[in-house]
């Protein structure tokens, strides 16, 4: 794990490569590293370096499912335990991911408090995924008051991912805001079991009668125990 920052206090902590096979996170880390001295209040963490070196999602266990971790646990449990203080002493945590599912960028949040709405405002996305405990309980963003995971579709990450991150960081670090707009909040309630057969044209955020809900991260290749997540309902907020 590498933790780098220029000055304190830290306003935003950006976590890259919680999953070692999502190399867009490394691109973000390398992009910001030389610029940090001009970005007071930003901290960067390169999380699972061991998995990154092996181009694997994790070594022993999914790091995003094992918080708060344990001092004497397996590789990821120990890493989660070491990461925790760094993400807790900051106002905002941004957690960079990529997915093979067909999306551009979707923020995932665990609450809709004022600080989280400030981060959503800095995002271009209209769809937001709300994952409350128990689903988010052992995830990184489940450990902090204002944590937002950003799921980038692989193609979008290649094309425009850096610009998306840059524009968010600029808005947040300068304490400015974008014009508020309507955001669809999808409340994720469960995972989609493998045995449910979904229509071929099933799309993220589009209602599926067989499912009785709206899928998210549908067909993500790293999921082996489910086919993605499902939201029972959605609501609209403006921020
Ligand atoms: Zn990930």
């Amino acid at each position: 794990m590498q933790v780098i920052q220029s000055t304190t206090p830290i306003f935003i902590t950006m976590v890259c490569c919680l999953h070692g096979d999502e190399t867009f996170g490394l691109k973000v880390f390398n992009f910001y590293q030389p610029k940090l001295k001009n970005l007071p209040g930003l901290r960067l963490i390169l999380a699972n370096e061991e998995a990154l070196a092996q181009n694997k999602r994790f070594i022993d266990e999914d790091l995003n499912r094992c918080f708060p971790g344990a001092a004497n646990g397996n590789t990821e449990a120990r890493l989660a335990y070491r990461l925790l203080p760094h993400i807790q002493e900051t106002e905002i945590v941004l957690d960079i991911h990529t997915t093979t599912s067909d999306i551009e960028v979707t923020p995932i949040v665990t609450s809709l408090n004022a600080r989280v709405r400030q981060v959503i405002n800095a995002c271009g996305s209209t769809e937001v995924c709300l994952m409350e405990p128990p689903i988010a309980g052992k995830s990184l963003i489940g450990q902090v008051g204002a944590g937002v995971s950003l799921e980038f579709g692989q193609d979008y990450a290649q094309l425009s991912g850096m610009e998306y991150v840059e524009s968010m960081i600029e808005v947040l670090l300068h304490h400015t805001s974008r014009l508020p707009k309507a955001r669809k909040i999808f409340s994720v309630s469960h995972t989609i079991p493998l045995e449910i057969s979904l229509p071929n044209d099933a799309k993220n955020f589009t209602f599926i009668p067989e499912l009785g809900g709206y899928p998210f991260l549908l067909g993500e290749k790293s999921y082996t125990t489910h086919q993605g997540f499902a939201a029972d309902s959605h609501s609209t907020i403006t921020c």
Side-chain angles (χ1 to χ4, degrees), residues 1-2 15-22 26 45-64 66 74-77 79-80 82-83:
M1 178 175 76
Q2 279 188 63
V15 181
C16 304
C17 296
L18 209 63
H19 292 137
D21 56 350
E22 297 175 6
L26 180 62
I45 299 181
L46 189 61
N48 203 339
E49 288 187 283
E50 204 177 327
L52 181 66
Q54 297 183 35
N55 193 30
K56 285 166 121 176
R57 188 171 173 87
F58 54 82
I59 303 296
D60 295 321
E61 183 186 4
D62 188 332
L63 176 55
N64 208 19
C66 67
N74 64 29
T75 304
E76 275 77 18
L79 194 48
R82 286 169 56 215
L83 255 164

